[in-house]
Amino acid sequence: MTETLDLPALVGRVAAGDPAAETEIVMRFAPRVRAMALVRTRDADLAGDLTQETLLAVLLAMRKGQVRDRDRIEGFVAGVARNVINNYKRRSRRHPESPLDEDAPAFAVDDDHDGPERQRLMTAALAELSPADRQILILTLVEGLKPGEIARKIGVSPDVARTRKSRALKRILEVLDLRSRNASDGHLL
C-alpha cells in the first residue's frame, strides 16, 4: 500500500461490492487496529479477536453506505475500534468469564488398548488451553451449543466465540500431533 491511496474512492469501491477494495481496507487498517487493541487489552489473542470484530464492523458499514465522511476514514476506523474495545471491556465487567465447572463431563475415549494413553494426551492438550478456551470447547463439544449461545453465556460476541473455538481446536490438534509424534519416538514432553 502506498500513502497516496485514495481512501474515499476505496470506500466507494467497497460500497459497490469490490472484494479487492475490502482486502485493501483490511490490509491497511488491520495493523493499526491490532496495535490499538493490544495496547488497551494487553492480550495478543484478544487483540486479534477485537481486530477482526472491528474490521468486520467497518466493512459492513462501508458496504451499507453508512460512512458519512469519506475523507476521514482513519478517524472512522479508530472510532469503531475504540467502541468495539470499550464494549468488550463493559461486557467483561458485567459478565466476567466464569471459572470452569469442576464437575463438567470428561471427554469420552474409546475402550481400546490406546484409551488410557489417548485420554492422557487429551488431558495434557486441554491443559495447554486457557480456561476460557477450554470452556468454549466444552460448551461446543459436550453441551452442543452454537457460537451464538456460547457468546451469550460467556459474554462475548458470536464472532469472538467462533474464532476462539476454531483457535482452541487447532491448538488441541497441534498439541496432540506433537505429543503423539514424540511418544512414538520414545520422547516424553
Side-chain angles (χ1 to χ4, degrees), residues 118-129:
R118 286 178 37 201
Q119 176 116 22
R120 187 188 67 73
L121 285 172
M122 180 58 82
T123 301
L126 285 170
E128 297 217 3
L129 296 176

Side-chain angles (χ1 to χ4, degrees), residues 2-183:
T2 63
E3 287 302 316
T4 60
L5 184 64
D6 184 7
L7 287 176
L10 195 58
V11 173
R13 288 175 41 210
V14 170
D18 182 359
E22 291 182 0
T23 302
E24 287 182 50
I25 290 289
V26 169
M27 297 301 290
R28 180 173 181 102
F29 290 106
R32 296 177 189 182
V33 172
R34 182 170 171 71
M36 181 179 180
L38 189 56
V39 166
R40 304 243 349 244
T41 63
R42 300 197 189 320
D43 181 336
D45 289 338
L46 178 59
D49 293 344
L50 294 174
T51 299
Q52 287 181 356
E53 191 172 340
T54 297
L55 292 173
L56 181 61
V58 166
L59 290 174
L60 288 175
M62 288 179 180
R63 287 177 188 169
K64 293 177 184 176
Q66 296 174 336
V67 178
R68 291 187 184 100
D69 190 352
R70 291 185 178 182
D71 293 324
R72 297 186 178 174
I73 299 305
E74 288 94 348
F76 175 76
V77 173
V80 172
R82 185 180 57 247
N83 290 340
V84 166
I85 294 165
N86 289 341
N87 287 343
Y88 170 80
K89 287 184 170 190
R90 265 187 235 108
R91 279 191 315 263
S92 64
R93 276 193 303 261
R94 267 186 295 186
H95 305 288
E97 291 181 351
S98 56
L100 286 177
D101 182 6
E102 297 299 324
D103 298 327
F107 288 94
V109 178
D110 294 341
D111 289 334
D112 61 351
H113 67 282
D114 289 337
E117 177 62 17
R118 286 178 37 201
Q119 176 116 22
R120 187 188 67 73
L121 285 172
M122 180 58 82
T123 301
L126 285 170
E128 297 217 3
L129 296 176
S130 71
D133 287 347
R134 268 195 311 271
Q135 182 180 22
I136 288 172
L137 279 184
I138 289 171
L139 291 172
T140 301
L141 300 174
V142 176
E143 294 185 27
L145 298 180
K146 301 288 183 211
E149 297 167 314
I150 294 169
R152 282 190 295 281
K153 191 166 187 160
I154 65 172
V156 298
S157 74
D159 291 330
V160 170
R162 197 173 294 110
T163 300
R164 289 175 74 174
K165 174 188 129 189
S166 176
R167 188 179 12 202
L169 285 171
K170 182 179 177 186
R171 180 67 183 137
I172 289 283
L173 292 174
E174 288 170 353
V175 170
L176 288 174
D177 182 52
L178 178 65
R179 288 180 184 265
S180 65
R181 274 189 279 134
N182 285 340

